[in-house]
Amino acid sequence: MQAEAQRTGNLLEALDYDETKRRALQRYHQVLLDVLHVQREELFVLRRENVFEEEMLRHQEAQLDLDEAKISHMPH
């Protein structure tokens, strides 16, 4: 995951993008993080209501953690 984030960072640094594009990328990353937050809240509700097995919920939560880490380590 770190290698992928580094490759993405290197590609972005190689691109000639202006401040407007940089702000748009920051906003895009923030929207993705907001979506992950909402998904995490929904998992909490599902856990509380015992809708799914705990193992399945833990797996989904771990995936959210990975997605969040990936987004957070991307250059802005």
Side-chain angles (χ1 to χ4, degrees):
M1 186 169 58
Q2 288 178 338
E4 183 180 339
Q6 182 63 42
R7 278 192 300 276
T8 302
N10 291 342
L11 288 171
L12 288 174
E13 287 175 11
L15 294 174
D16 182 23
Y17 62 94
D18 61 16
E19 185 64 21
T20 302
K21 290 180 184 177
R22 188 185 67 75
R23 282 194 303 259
L25 182 60
Q26 282 179 325
R27 181 66 186 136
Y28 176 70
H29 285 169
Q30 186 57 54
V31 168
L32 290 176
L33 291 172
D34 291 346
V35 167
L36 292 174
H37 178 75
V38 170
Q39 290 175 334
R40 195 176 300 279
E41 287 178 347
E42 187 60 27
L43 279 179
F44 177 76
V45 170
L46 294 173
R47 178 175 279 122
R48 189 179 64 222
E49 295 177 355
N50 293 315
V51 175
F52 295 101
E53 292 181 14
E54 184 64 26
E55 181 179 342
M56 182 181 190
L57 293 171
R58 279 195 309 269
H59 174 75
Q60 293 303 315
E61 193 169 43
Q63 185 61 52
L64 290 176
D65 292 342
L66 289 173
D67 292 344
E68 184 176 4
K70 183 178 174 182
I71 294 165
S72 296
H73 289 95
M74 292 181 125
H76 301 274

